[in-house]
Amino acid sequence: MNNADAEGIRLQKVLSQAGIASRRNAEDLISRGKVKVNGELARLGQRVQPTDVIHVSGKRIVTDVDTVYFAINKPRGIVSTMEDDEGRPSLAEFTKGIDQRVFHVGRLDTDSEGLLLLTNDGELANRIMHPSHGLPKVYRAQVSGIMDRATWNKLLAGVELEDGPAKADKLKIIDEHAGQSLIEITIHEGRKHIVRRLMDEVGHHVSRLVRTEIGPVKLRNLKPGTIRRLSPNEIGELFREVGL
């Protein structure tokens, strides 16, 4: 290790490389007390190591260029694994342009579509999936029938499934047409087929299910089968919501 490696890299250069701000603006952030290193206010000219934890305006930033975070819009019919023993189409078909070896955070069943996160950050992935953090997930579901107020209230109050109670945190009717409803449902847990089972329990079978949000990350206009990098702000918000 040479002396430069031992001393670390100037903090403003690290912030610039992370896409947070130009070096000049990074110096301004440091001067205004917006940057912390390992919980302590940063100093101008301070050097940092890759193991240091850096927060800017209360949000953690990623300084390791080999740690990556992506959103993918999983198409219907794709298995939520990086490879499949039965030879079915998997997520690996859409990650060939990523240099690092990534894994998916959570799952979507084969018939469901929408937002999945991909990363090689095991600590963040474990936090996101742990039930104690209750990261909200938003889905759009095409369901049979027109939902009445009693069913609406029942979903919000909770119903008993074979593996325990479940409930919707929020509900919104998007459209009603030809005996079907398009609803938006927010739920904070990740049990297998939880949205489908919840809706079946109240008599509204799901014919299409699309996940549109995971915590602060939104699907937006990402096309099916395509991937985008998460922004530094999205990564910081994810860290904040799971206590990192």
Side-chain angles (χ1 to χ4, degrees), residues 22-193:
S22 67
R23 292 196 193 187
R24 180 172 295 180
N25 288 338
E27 290 176 358
D28 181 58
L29 288 170
I30 296 168
S31 298
R32 292 191 289 121
K34 299 293 186 180
V35 183
K36 288 186 176 182
V37 178
N38 300 327
E40 302 290 334
L41 282 176
R43 308 179 310 276
L44 280 173
Q46 182 172 352
R47 292 180 178 271
V48 294
Q49 301 290 340
T51 53
D52 290 330
V53 176
I54 302 171
H55 286 80
V56 178
S57 299
K59 295 178 184 177
R60 184 172 171 179
I61 67 165
V62 178
T63 58
D64 184 355
V65 295
D66 291 324
T67 306
V68 293
Y69 307 84
F70 295 92
I72 180 173
N73 186 347
K74 185 191 88 69
R76 191 170 187 167
I78 302 297
V79 181
S80 288
T81 59
M82 300 312 295
E83 59 182 42
D84 184 66
D85 294 338
E86 300 177 24
R88 294 173 295 180
S90 68
L91 297 173
E93 296 191 18
F94 309 101
T95 60
K96 293 174 183 177
I98 300 175
D99 294 332
Q100 295 83 353
R101 183 176 181 181
V102 295
F103 49 87
H104 54 93
V105 182
R107 301 176 66 89
L108 278 172
D109 65 70
T110 306
D111 289 333
S112 298
E113 53 198 292
L115 183 61
L116 269 175
L117 302 180
L118 302 172
T119 185
N120 55 359
D121 186 336
E123 183 179 13
L124 179 64
N126 289 334
R127 291 283 187 109
I128 290 173
M129 291 187 290
H130 199 280
S132 64
H133 295 292
L135 208 62
K137 304 170 185 68
V138 181
Y139 299 82
R140 285 202 172 189
Q142 187 80 39
V143 302
S144 60
I146 305 300
M147 193 179 302
D148 57 27
R149 178 55 61 178
T151 302
W152 182 284
N153 291 336
K154 188 175 182 180
L155 285 167
L156 291 173
V159 299
E160 192 68 32
L161 302 178
E162 66 272 15
D163 55 353
K167 71 182 187 71
D169 298 323
K170 296 179 183 178
L171 282 170
K172 181 180 179 181
I173 300 294
I174 305 298
D175 190 25
E176 295 176 337
H177 179 70
Q180 295 190 73
S181 301
L182 177 62
I183 68 169
E184 184 175 270
I185 178 170
T186 302
I187 194 164
H188 66 269
E189 61 172 299
R191 277 182 283 169
K192 190 174 183 179
H193 305 312

